[in-house]
């Protein structure tokens, strides 16, 4: 199985650590020589998930080969990478350096190393939205590599023909979707499930709320949450949403083929949209809802982390600093030469030639000004409870207030549980 970096952003920006350990992990740790090189040279094992973007594997192997203080052996891991990594970190044979986003359990369990000192000098240059989920107890546990983000694509000519302005509020988005719907074209595409799978916490943030507050409390125990989420059933019920498209929200084909006037998708889709439509499109953040609302952009980012149980922890940290802090040329190359992504460093995103004009520049601006990432304290149990409730609200017209009360109880219990851990 191969997949691109867009997988980071399913369910509104979350990284998935679910499912059972796959056989792909097995006993093959990729260590080969047991971690030592010839003549005493240190050999570091570095794991990546198997990207679907051409050239990525060759690039990371090239970076590794350029590192002189140690030998770096890259493992390109197919299958359920997140579960492979989680299982490997429980043993003595895991990778020295691995791509991922350390979970709260891994941090509290002492499975990943503190990398605060590595990024101290440039901490303020990392996009804060993607650095936040890698920060716990004031320490940084992973160095962000690239940013993926979601945004709203709209067809300029279709909006102009319908005398519709690009929406700046959720109510305007709903009205625009209805006005743009014809016998041949739907107004909006949020995924084949009506948005239940991709929206995640985005509508809550657009209403001025959050999944988890900065103080570690439930961030949506507020009547505004029910009011906002209830609006999505209206979209679903009035048939202005495209459902049953040949490809789901992450693929721009429904948009470029004219099946929908507006589509929620990701930055990765922009090159294909530009190639098909030229300048006949624009992009927007998710629109604000209510007086306290604000435009919102979900972001996600894998990072580079170090195994705290590895035999060469100091060498692994030095390599991570070299690659993901010092080598800004490699960081820009990784983000923009294989697929289309934003560098995690603000300075690199601002100066990158491919991101300085048009919709790409807008995407960078939206990410900087309106980006949010799924909080570290948002556990899989909270996620499942919320996603199930959101699906019932959108598809079945379930009462948002009642549904969210149950999610608040689950989330509060989860937050209390994780706070009790050492």
């Amino acid at each position: 199985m191969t997949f691109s970096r867009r997988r980071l952003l399913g369910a509104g920006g979350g990284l998935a650590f679910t499912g059972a350990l796959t056989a792909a992990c097995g006993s093959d740790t990729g260590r080969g020589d047991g971690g030592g090189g010839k003549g005493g040279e240190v050999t570091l094992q570095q794991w990546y998930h198997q990207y679907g973007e051409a050239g990525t594997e060759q690039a990371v192997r090239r970076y590794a080969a350029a590192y002189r203080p140690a030998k770096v052996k890259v493992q390109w891991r197919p299958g359920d990478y997140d579960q492979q990594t989680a299982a490997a970190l429980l043993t003595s044979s895991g990778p020295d350096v691995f791509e991922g986003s350390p979970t709260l359990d891994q941090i509290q369990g002492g499975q990943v190393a503190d990398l605060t000192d590595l990024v101290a000098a440039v901490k303020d240059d990392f996009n804060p939205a993607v650095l936040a989920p890698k920060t716990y107890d004031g320490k940084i546990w992973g160095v962000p590599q690239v940013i993926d983000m979601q945004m709203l694509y709209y067809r300029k000519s279709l909006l102009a023909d319908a005398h519709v302005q690009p929406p700046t509020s959720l109510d305007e988005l709903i009205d625009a979707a209805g006005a743009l719907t014809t016998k041949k074209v739907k107004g909006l595409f949020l995924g084949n499930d009506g948005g239940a799978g991709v929206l995640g916490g985005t509508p809550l943030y657009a209403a001025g709320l959050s999944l988890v507050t900065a103080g570690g409390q439930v961030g949506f125990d507020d009547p505004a949450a029910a009011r906002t989420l209830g609006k999505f059933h209206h979209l679903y019920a009035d048939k202005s949403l495209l459902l049953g498209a040949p490809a789901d929200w992450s693929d721009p084909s429904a948009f470029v083929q004219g099946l929908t006037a507006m589509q929620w998708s990701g930055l990765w889709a922009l090159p294909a949209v530009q190639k098909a439509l030229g300048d006949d499109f624009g992009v927007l953040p998710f629109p604000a809802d209510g007086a306290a609302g604000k435009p919102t952009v979900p972001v996600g980012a894998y990072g580079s982390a170090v195994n705290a149980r590895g035999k060469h922890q100091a060498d692994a940290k030095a390599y991570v600093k070299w690659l993901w802090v010092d080598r800004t040329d490699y960081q820009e190359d990784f983000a923009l030469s294989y697929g289309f992504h934003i560098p995690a460093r603000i300075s690199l995103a601002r100066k990158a030639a491919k991101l300085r004009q048009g919709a790409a520049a807008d995407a960078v601006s939206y990410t900087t000004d309106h980006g949010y990432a799924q909080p570290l304290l948002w556990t899989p149990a909270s996620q499942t409870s919320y996603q199930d409730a959101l699906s019932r609200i959108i598809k079945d017209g379930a009462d948002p207030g009642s549904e969210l009360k149950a999610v608040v109880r689950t989330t509060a219990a989860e937050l209390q549980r994780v706070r009790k851990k050492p």
Side-chain angles (χ1 to χ4, degrees), residues 76-136:
W76 204 244
R77 308 292 295 189
D80 193 336
Y81 174 83
D82 294 334
Q83 284 300 318
Q84 292 178 37
T85 305
L89 292 176
L90 295 172
T91 74
S92 60
S93 57
D96 297 291
V97 179
F98 65 96
E99 178 186 59
S101 192
T103 67
L104 187 60
D105 286 340
Q106 291 166 352
I107 294 169
Q108 292 178 331
Q111 298 169 28
V112 291
D114 176 5
L115 306 183
T116 308
D117 291 345
L118 273 60
V119 301
V122 294
K123 178 182 176 182
D124 292 343
D125 193 35
F126 280 94
N127 186 295
V130 293
L131 190 61
K134 294 166 179 57
T135 305
Y136 179 72

Side-chain angles (χ1 to χ4, degrees), residues 276-299:
L277 302 180
D279 62 357
D280 186 23
F281 77 98
V283 295
L284 292 169
F286 194 89
D289 187 45
K294 55 187 179 181
T296 299
V297 168
V299 300

